[in-house]
Amino acid sequence: MAQPLFDISELDGDNPLVDIAGIEAVNPHRGHMRMLDGILKVDPETYEMAAFKDVRADEFWVAGHFPERALFPGVLMVEAAAQLASYVMMTVYGHQLVGFAGIDKVKFRAPVVPGDRLYILGQQQDMRPRRCISQMQGIVNGKICFEAKVTGMPI
């Protein structure tokens, strides 16, 4: 069974390091495409990062992604992970804009539904001037719900 990248008990979801306004000051995503509600950790020494998204019942996908049982789409979970990784690349490493360059080894392990708080954990594995690779995970209620290797590049 997969283990979390790091201990999340230290994360304080009620007091984010960066709020929505701070995220939007860096990441270009707005409206329905902003997938992060708070940044909880950015540690350039351990290469660890964490954020969260509060999954709401009024989001655009709810009516159509299984109307009988709304499930947060996996592709949006991975997008949230990519947004966290790009935030770190831009703030820690000074890139102007970072785009999604690839995803690998994606696994979805548990459903995420409206009312859940999705914690996104990441650990940077490789950083070069034109590429950043991060191992990412999503956790809800202590369970890993997805994992993926996300590659970003300055654009």
Side-chain angles (χ1 to χ4, degrees):
M1 177 171 280
Q3 297 295 314
L5 291 170
F6 54 87
D7 183 9
I8 66 169
S9 66
E10 66 192 51
L11 302 177
D12 184 356
D14 295 328
N15 296 296
L17 297 174
V18 182
D19 62 9
I20 291 171
I23 293 167
E24 289 185 348
V26 175
N27 280 359
H29 309 87
R30 299 291 186 273
H32 297 302
M33 286 309 297
R34 181 185 44 76
M35 294 289 132
L36 301 178
D37 293 319
I39 305 285
L40 301 171
K41 180 177 189 174
V42 175
D43 189 333
E45 291 180 22
T46 63
Y47 304 107
E48 295 173 346
M49 60 190 98
F52 69 90
K53 175 185 177 39
D54 289 322
V55 181
R56 300 181 327 273
D58 65 348
E59 295 191 55
F60 74 94
W61 53 267
V62 171
H65 201 252
F66 307 133
E68 309 296 313
R69 182 179 177 210
L71 296 175
F72 188 45
V75 68
L76 296 180
M77 291 184 220
V78 175
E79 174 65 22
Q83 288 183 23
L84 173 58
S86 70
Y87 177 90
V88 171
M89 271 187 87
M90 290 187 284
T91 58
V92 174
Y93 300 103
H95 292 295
Q96 295 299 313
L97 184 61
V98 176
F100 218 160
I103 53 173
D104 294 293
K105 299 184 180 181
V106 179
K107 292 182 182 172
F108 299 103
R109 299 183 175 279
V112 178
V113 300
D116 284 343
R117 174 167 277 187
L118 173 64
Y119 287 93
I120 301 116
L121 308 183
Q123 187 158 41
Q124 194 170 41
Q125 295 185 324
D126 187 16
M127 178 63 181
R128 298 177 188 194
R130 299 284 307 150
R131 181 184 75 193
C132 173
I133 299 173
S134 300
Q135 183 63 41
M136 307 299 286
Q137 293 177 327
I139 297 179
V140 172
N141 298 322
K143 292 183 182 177
I144 296 175
C145 53
F146 84 89
E147 51 192 334
K149 189 176 283 192
V150 174
T151 303
M153 62 183 259
I155 54 175

